[in-house]
Each structure stands twice: as structure tokens, then as C-alpha cells.
């Protein structure tokens, strides 16, 4: 009964220590590699999910109604500005143009007749044969005929335009998208889907978002949005298959409005796409390098976590002493940028931290331990604790 009580008390003590975020204590001595904390410069990339859009994504809608009589392109085809894409049945529009041209001819004849009549009336009026009323009536008839001619000319222009709209042309250079409507389909300006989309992919725009805090950090670092755009380094694009796009891009714009629903702002980077590898509607990750100067860097394998907090073991009077550190959320997967909790000159245990306990005697493996900033640059020294 007494042994059971002692075991329960020990277990309760261990659980209480873990709940307080403290490492369990142990006294078994051992040899471990150690690092002397120093400052260093680091460039750490940060990834941001992104969507790819063409410089221009132009939805093509017909301007007249009718059935498609011919498709002039295929899906994914490169098109040039002014190239025919679709032809809509032209028969009714040709007939309308012929009717309009006939109306123009009739109106011209009406104007000529009215002018002859008016000229004759003027001569008769000059000889006092007719009254002013008859002369004014003839003049008004001429004005009416001229107005009818102008109206007929406008109708002819409208009919000619409608006929030209039956040939749907590319408004810009680019790549044609899908073709949801085929020959025989009835289309109109109010169709729910466009005939196709022409994307100018010679340069693509890659859109991604940053949190408000990240944007504030950038603005404070460079001074203003304009200075940020001018001073930010080139960015890379990590494609959906995990490969890195060969050309670098530049961030061209930062939204001036924070989306209240997401708490983020949108940024746009431009990438050259002469080879056509990038497609509008694709996805990837923008890789934005971030430079840290004179920062404290520690290897991640020299840390451990308790209750979502990051700790290291400092070497204090020859014993391991756990110390919580604050680290930047951005890392390269191998190192942490330490924001607080360590100072240059501190000595930390660099290996086997999972075997240590609070107060464990530590015997450094090397008499002269390398600095953390130097050790982070040497993979072998990180693993063995010995200088090359």
C-alpha cells in the first residue's frame, strides 16, 4: 500500500512539472557538443500561395445574335490581334445591309427631287408668281428629304457594323481558351459563357497575399509602399509540380486596402513567360527572400518544444539549464532566427537535447566550441560539434 502511494506521488510530481512547461530533471552526466551563440546574417525564403493570371484575360462575347457557322481556331491556339476567331451566320446581316443601302439610294433620289422643286419655286417666287408660303413649303420638303437621307445613312452604317460583328476577331495577341460553343450553336451578347477567353501570357501576373502584420513589417523596413516596391528583392515562383521557375519576377503592386474578411492585402508580381510555360489560371507559390542582419541563429536540432514553446539548454555552471526562446515564424527548415531569450556569448547544447534533463551535468566535447553563426554554415560541425 505504501509503495503504491509513493509511485502515485512521483507520477503526480512529473505531471505537474510538465504542466508548468519545465523539463524533467536528471543528473546523469555526459559529453555533448556545445555552441557559443553569435550573430550572423541570413537570407530565408518565405513561401506564399499564389494564383497565375495572364497580363490580359479578355472574355470574348458576340456583339450580334445568330448561329455559329464557322470556328476559325482551336483551343489553346496562339492568336494575333485582328485574327478571326468565329464567324456567325452572315445571311440576315448581308440582307439588312442591302436593304439599308437601297434606302440610302431612295433617300438620295428624294433629296434630288426636293432640291429641284425648291430651286424652281425660288425662280417663280422671284417673279412674284407664287407666294412665300409655297416657297417655304418647298424648302421644308427639301430639309425633310435631307434628314431622311441622313437617317438612311446611319441605318446603313449600323447594318455594315452588324455585318462586321459576325466575324469575331481577337482583340489582342494571346492564347485562346476553351470553346464551349460549336458550329450551329445559337449565341447572343447575353450568353452566360464567353465564346472563349484570349489570354496574353507573354508576361504573367502572379497574385498572392500577405497578412496585415507582414505588410506593416515590410513598410517599416523600407519606409513606404513606394520604397518597398523599389527596394524589394526579386522573387521566385515555385510551380505546382515542386519545380522552381527559371526566371525571377518583380513585385509591381501592393493593394492599398486590407480585406476585412481575411486581414490580408494582395500583391502582384510579374514574371516573363516567353516560353509559354506558365498558364493563366495556374497555381504556385511565390518565394520571397527575407534578409536578417546581425541576428542570432540556432540550429533547430539544438532546440526542443514543450506546450508549443521552443526551448534550448544553456550551459550554466557546467549543467544544462532549459531556457525558453522566442523565434521568428519564418524559417528555412534547419535554423531558427531567435528574437529573444539568447544573447551573444551564451553557450548552448548543440546535440542530444532530447536526452538531457534539467540540471544534467554537461561535458563539452570540444574545448573550443564554434560560434552558433559559424556552425550553422557548416553542416558537419552542426552534427558533430567539431570544427572542420
Amino acid at each position: 500500500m505504501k509503495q503504491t502511494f509513493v509511485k502515485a506521488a512521483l507520477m503526480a510530481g512529473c505531471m505537474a512539472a510538465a504542466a508548468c512547461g519545465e523539463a524533467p530533471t536528471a543528473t546523469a552526466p555526459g559529453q555533448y557538443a556545445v555552441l557559443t551563440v553569435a550573430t550572423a546574417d541570413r537570407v530565408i525564403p518565405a513561401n506564399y500561395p499564389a494564383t497565375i493570371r495572364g497580363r490580359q484575360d479578355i472574355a470574348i462575347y458576340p456583339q450580334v445574335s445568330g448561329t455559329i457557322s464557322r470556328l476559325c481556331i482551336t483551343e489553346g491556339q496562339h492568336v494575333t490581334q485582328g485574327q478571326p476567331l468565329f464567324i456567325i451566320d452572315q445571311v440576315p446581316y448581308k440582307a439588312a445591309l442591302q436593304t439599308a443601302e437601297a434606302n440610302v439610294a431612295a433617300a438620295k433620289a428624294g433629296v434630288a427631287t426636293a432640291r429641284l422643286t425648291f430651286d424652281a419655286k425660288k425662280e417663280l417666287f422671284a417673279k412674284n408668281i407664287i407666294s412665300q408660303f409655297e416657297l417655304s413649303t418647298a424648302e421644308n420638303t427639301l430639309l425633310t428629304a435631307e434628314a431622311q437621307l441622313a437617317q438612311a445613312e446611319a441605318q446603313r452604317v449600323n447594318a455594315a457594323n452588324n455585318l462586321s460583328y459576325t466575324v469575331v476577331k481577337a482583340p489582342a495577341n494571346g492564347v485562346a481558351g476553351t470553346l464551349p460553343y460549336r458550329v450551329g450553336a445559337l449565341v447572343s451578347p447575353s450568353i452566360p459563357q464567353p465564346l472563349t477567353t484570349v489570354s496574353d501570357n507573354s508576361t504573367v501576373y502572379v497574385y498572392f497575399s500577405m497578412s496585415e502584420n507582414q505588410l506593416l513589417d515590410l513598410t517599416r523596413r523600407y519606409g513606404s509602399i513606394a520604397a518597398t516596391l523599389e527596394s524589394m528583392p526579386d522573387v521566385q515562383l515555385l510551380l505546382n509540380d515542386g519545380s522552381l521557375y527559371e526566371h525571377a519576377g518583380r513585385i509591381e503592386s501592393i493593394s492599398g486596402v486590407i480585406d476585412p474578411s481575411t486581414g490580408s492585402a494582395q500583391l502582384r508580381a510579374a514574371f516573363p513567360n516567353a516560353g509559354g510555360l506558365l498558364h493563366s489560371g495556374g497555381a504556385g507559390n511565390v518565394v520571397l527572400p527575407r534578409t536578417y542582419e546581425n541576428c542570432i541563429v540556432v540550429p533547430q536540432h539544438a532546440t526542443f518544444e514543450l506546450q508549443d514553446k521552443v526551448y534550448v539548454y544553456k550551459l550554466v555552471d557546467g549543467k544544462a539549464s532549459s531556457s525558453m526562446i522566442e523565434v521568428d515564424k519564418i524559417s528555412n527548415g534547419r535554423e531558427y532566427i531567435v528574437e529573444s531569450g539568447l544573447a551573444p556569448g551564451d553557450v548552448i547544447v548543440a546535440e542530444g537535447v532530447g536526452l538531457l534533463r534539467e540540471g544534467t551535468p554537461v561535458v563539452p566535447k570540444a574545448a573550443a566550441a564554434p560560434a552558433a553563426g559559424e556552425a550553422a554554415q557548416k553542416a558537419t560541425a552542426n552534427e558533430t560539434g567539431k570544427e572542420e
Side-chain angles (χ1 to χ4, degrees):
M1 181 70 178
K2 184 176 181 180
Q3 292 179 350
T4 302
F5 176 77
V6 171
K7 291 181 179 178
L10 290 173
M11 292 178 64
C14 291
M15 292 176 63
C20 294
E22 299 177 353
T25 60
T27 58
Q31 285 192 338
Y32 298 92
V34 296
L35 296 174
T36 301
V37 174
T39 58
D41 296 338
R42 284 291 182 274
V43 178
I44 296 181
N47 289 2
Y48 299 89
T51 56
I52 301 171
R53 294 287 182 268
R55 183 169 61 180
Q56 289 189 98
D57 287 340
I58 306 173
I60 308 299
Y61 285 88
Q63 293 180 268
V64 293
S65 301
T67 58
I68 297 176
S69 60
R70 182 182 171 192
L71 293 179
C72 304
I73 58 169
T74 58
E75 294 174 336
Q77 179 179 332
H78 287 268
V79 298
T80 57
Q81 185 175 7
Q83 178 179 340
L85 306 178
F86 304 86
I87 296 179
I88 296 173
D89 185 17
Q90 297 180 320
V91 173
Y93 296 99
K94 286 181 177 179
L97 178 58
Q98 290 175 352
T99 300
E101 289 174 341
N103 290 338
V104 169
K108 286 181 178 179
V111 169
T113 300
R115 182 170 286 111
L116 288 173
T117 302
F118 177 63
D119 291 341
K121 294 290 186 181
K122 283 197 298 183
E123 292 182 3
L124 293 175
F125 178 76
K127 297 177 181 180
N128 294 322
I129 297 175
I130 61 173
S131 65
Q132 179 65 46
F133 174 78
E134 289 185 72
L135 178 61
S136 298
T137 301
E139 184 180 10
N140 290 340
T141 302
L142 175 59
L143 294 174
T144 301
E146 290 175 341
Q148 290 173 344
L149 174 60
Q151 186 178 25
E153 286 282 4
Q155 291 173 347
R156 184 190 64 80
V157 171
N158 186 57
N161 285 338
N162 286 340
L163 178 60
S164 69
Y165 294 152
T166 60
V167 180
V168 182
K169 299 179 180 180
N173 298 339
V175 179
T178 58
L179 305 176
Y181 302 96
R182 300 290 173 171
V183 173
L186 179 62
V187 294
S188 70
S190 60
I191 54 177
Q193 286 182 282
L195 296 174
T196 190
T197 300
V198 174
S199 298
D200 181 359
N201 288 342
S202 58
T203 297
V204 297
Y205 290 148
V206 179
Y207 294 89
F208 62 102
S209 296
M210 276 189 179
S211 69
E212 183 177 5
N213 290 341
Q214 291 170 329
L215 187 59
L216 288 172
D217 179 58
L218 279 178
T219 306
R220 290 192 182 103
R221 188 187 312 173
Y222 294 110
S224 66
I225 293 294
T228 299
L229 293 174
E230 183 177 349
S231 305
M232 285 183 71
D234 291 347
V235 295
Q236 299 289 332
L237 180 61
L238 189 65
L239 301 179
N240 215 28
D241 62 356
S243 63
L244 196 64
Y245 186 55
E246 60 181 339
H247 300 293
R250 289 289 301 174
I251 295 177
E252 292 186 341
S253 68
I254 300 176
S255 172
V257 179
I258 302 294
D259 187 340
S261 62
T262 61
S264 62
Q266 190 174 72
L267 292 83
R268 187 189 75 197
F271 287 82
N273 189 35
L277 180 64
L278 304 180
H279 298 279
S280 183
N285 285 273
V286 168
V287 182
L288 177 63
R290 179 171 179 178
T291 302
Y292 296 81
E293 297 180 351
N294 296 322
C295 61
I296 293 176
V297 183
V298 297
Q300 290 187 7
H301 60 73
T303 67
F304 65 97
E305 293 188 16
L306 280 177
Q307 296 182 348
D308 298 328
K309 304 294 183 182
V310 181
Y311 291 82
V312 295
Y313 279 113
K314 290 183 181 180
L315 188 59
V316 180
D317 297 330
K319 295 182 180 181
S321 175
S322 62
S323 177
M324 187 180 74
I325 60 175
E326 296 288 339
V327 299
D328 197 293
K329 293 181 180 180
I330 298 176
S331 72
N332 58 11
R334 302 181 305 276
E335 301 166 317
Y336 281 132
I337 304 297
V338 180
E339 296 179 337
S340 64
L342 287 177
D346 289 342
V347 179
I348 64 172
V349 179
E351 68 173 13
V353 294
L355 303 176
L356 290 176
R357 295 295 182 266
E358 187 74 19
T360 299
V362 174
V363 179
K365 280 188 176 181
E374 298 173 356
Q377 298 174 354
K378 301 177 181 179
T380 303
N382 283 344
E383 296 299 327
T384 64
K386 298 179 181 179
E387 296 183 356
E388 294 180 351

